[in-house]
Amino acid sequence: MRATLMYAAHDIRVEDVADPKIQQPTDAVVRIVLSCVCGSDLWPYKSLEPTDTPRHMGHEFLGVVEETGSGVRTLKPGDVVVAPFVWADNTCAYCREGLQTSCPHGGQWGVNGVDGGQGQAARVPQADGTLVKMPVAEDSELLPDLLTLSDVLCTGYHAARTAGVRRGDTVTVVGDGAVGLSAVLSARLLGAERIVLMGRHQARTDLGRDFGATDVVAERGDEGVARVRELTDGEGTRKVLECVGLKDALVQSLGVVRAGGTISRVGAPQYPEVPLGFADFLRNITLTGGVAPARAYIEELMPHILDGSIRPGRVFDRTVALEDIADGYRAMNDRESLKVLVRP
């Protein structure tokens, strides 16, 4: 089959790799119908050192079950399924707590002999625990929306949930990427009354307004903090969702959070130290968030997509064929595209 491999920074290739096969009784083989490029894929795209053992890329995909191992009980060939961005058994103590990302029997896509999601097919370990069946056909117009359940929508929702967003809240979302826009959508879904979106790319912030943002702040740094405080009677907001992963974004979040407030960070952190000093300690700031256990949220969020109340797939603003995925990476890296959909 054909799959996406990264050999070095800016060196993305689509090459022939071994077809996936059942290796364990709990495996399934999925023919991929849709996948996409994630913002987190851009970090190695910018920095990966040249290697002779390329990375198998992709961790967000949706497809059709082609084959199942003898131990798979809940899936059958022909089922349309979505895969969360890590695989897990969904039965261990961590999974039962909704922390599938900590499953001791789980793992990541594209490593240790497991296929990546940016290819024509994938072997799925722990298929019963990982894959979620969807009540649609493989040609449904809802597939792009349902694909967001693999990662980006659930990550935005994790930010809102861990921050404790409730009905009537005022929330600030830092970042107008696909995760930030998903956080806006999620905060609105949880009942937030006012949502301040901090971003400076108008096409994205316009979509953010469609998703529920009531205010947009284009300024950054001290100017951005001052603007948010101006909008909130000088106090800032009780809930801040940091959806970028850079230190400057966290510093900005600390500037706009109200005393006694909560910052949830879900942007993959590209910094080793958290800048929480004594002044923030005195303000009783809570810092939470982390990697989103997407599997824990899929069944909760799916009905809102199926009934049309949310359309998170609008974050996809470009579609490429698998063979052209390198251009999709380039477009996202160059800010020509918000999030790229891939059709194998």
Side-chain angles (χ1 to χ4, degrees):
M1 69 166 183
R2 303 287 282 172
T4 303
L5 305 177
M6 183 181 293
Y7 280 84
H10 303 282
D11 187 357
I12 298 287
R13 309 179 199 176
V14 178
E15 296 183 343
D16 291 330
V17 301
D19 291 338
K21 299 182 184 302
I22 299 295
Q23 297 180 18
Q24 300 293 332
T26 51
D27 288 350
V29 172
V30 172
R31 171 173 54 85
I32 296 174
V33 174
L34 284 181
S35 63
C36 57
V37 181
C38 182
S40 63
D41 292 331
L42 298 183
W43 297 118
Y45 182 73
K46 298 173 190 287
S47 62
L48 184 68
E49 294 294 327
T51 177
D52 293 327
T53 56
R55 292 178 58 164
H56 290 240
M57 298 302 296
H59 54 260
E60 302 163 276
F61 64 93
L62 172 158
V64 177
V65 175
E66 294 284 286
E67 185 181 0
T68 59
S70 61
V72 176
R73 298 287 179 257
T74 63
L75 301 165
K76 64 183 185 305
D79 286 344
V80 178
V81 292
V82 66
F85 67 88
V86 298
W87 50 272
D89 63 19
N90 210 33
T91 59
C92 75
Y94 287 109
C95 289
R96 292 196 302 271
E97 294 172 16
L99 284 174
Q100 288 88 346
T101 44
S102 296
C103 178
H105 309 120
Q108 299 179 5
W109 303 107
V111 297
N112 300 323
V114 178
D115 298 299
Q118 293 169 0
Q120 292 179 317
R123 178 178 70 89
V124 178
Q126 302 288 353
D128 279 329
T130 300
L131 298 171
V132 180
K133 184 177 177 180
M134 297 179 297
V136 298
E138 67 173 283
D139 60 353
S140 170
E141 65 177 13
L142 293 178
L143 289 194
D145 297 295
L146 292 165
L147 177 61
T148 66
L149 294 168
S150 185
D151 184 346
V152 65
L153 176 60
C154 293
T155 296
Y157 191 67
H158 186 59
R161 279 283 298 270
T162 55
V165 174
R166 295 176 292 186
R167 188 162 302 281
D169 274 348
T170 298
V171 178
T172 298
V173 175
V174 179
D176 60 7
V179 171
L181 297 181
S182 296
V184 169
L185 193 65
S186 299
R188 177 60 70 189
L189 195 61
L190 290 171
E193 183 174 307
R194 190 176 189 187
I195 303 171
V196 180
L197 173 59
M198 301 193 78
R200 60 179 183 175
H201 304 90
Q202 186 173 346
R204 300 181 180 192
T205 56
D206 284 349
L207 180 56
R209 288 187 184 277
D210 288 348
F211 279 178
T214 54
D215 303 271
V216 170
V217 172
E219 297 87 349
R220 289 185 175 182
D222 292 342
E223 291 183 359
V225 170
R227 179 61 182 145
V228 172
R229 289 190 170 273
E230 179 185 340
L231 291 169
T232 55
D233 298 324
E235 289 192 346
T237 60
R238 290 183 182 272
K239 314 291 170 59
V240 179
L241 315 183
E242 190 277 288
C243 302
V244 179
L246 296 176
K247 185 175 180 180
D248 286 349
L250 183 55
V251 170
Q252 188 163 280
S253 299
L254 288 164
V256 301
V257 70
R258 181 186 183 276
T262 299
I263 299 169
S264 178
R265 59 175 186 152
V266 296
Q270 303 301 305
Y271 50 89
E273 298 176 352
V274 174
L276 273 171
F278 190 68
D280 301 306
F281 172 78
L282 290 176
R283 293 200 295 143
N284 282 286
I285 303 303
T286 297
L287 180 64
T288 184
V291 63
R295 181 64 183 83
Y297 300 131
I298 289 175
E299 282 129 333
E300 180 180 349
L301 292 169
M302 188 186 301
H304 298 288
I305 293 174
L306 295 175
D307 68 14
S309 58
I310 61 173
R311 296 299 305 268
R314 294 178 65 193
V315 297
F316 297 113
D317 58 352
R318 181 179 298 216
T319 301
V320 299
L322 177 61
E323 297 295 331
D324 298 321
I325 195 171
D327 190 57
Y329 272 80
R330 181 205 57 77
M332 283 182 61
N333 187 64
D334 294 348
R335 296 295 183 95
E336 291 179 9
S337 182
L338 171 59
K339 191 168 178 65
V340 171
L341 193 68
V342 181
R343 292 188 180 275

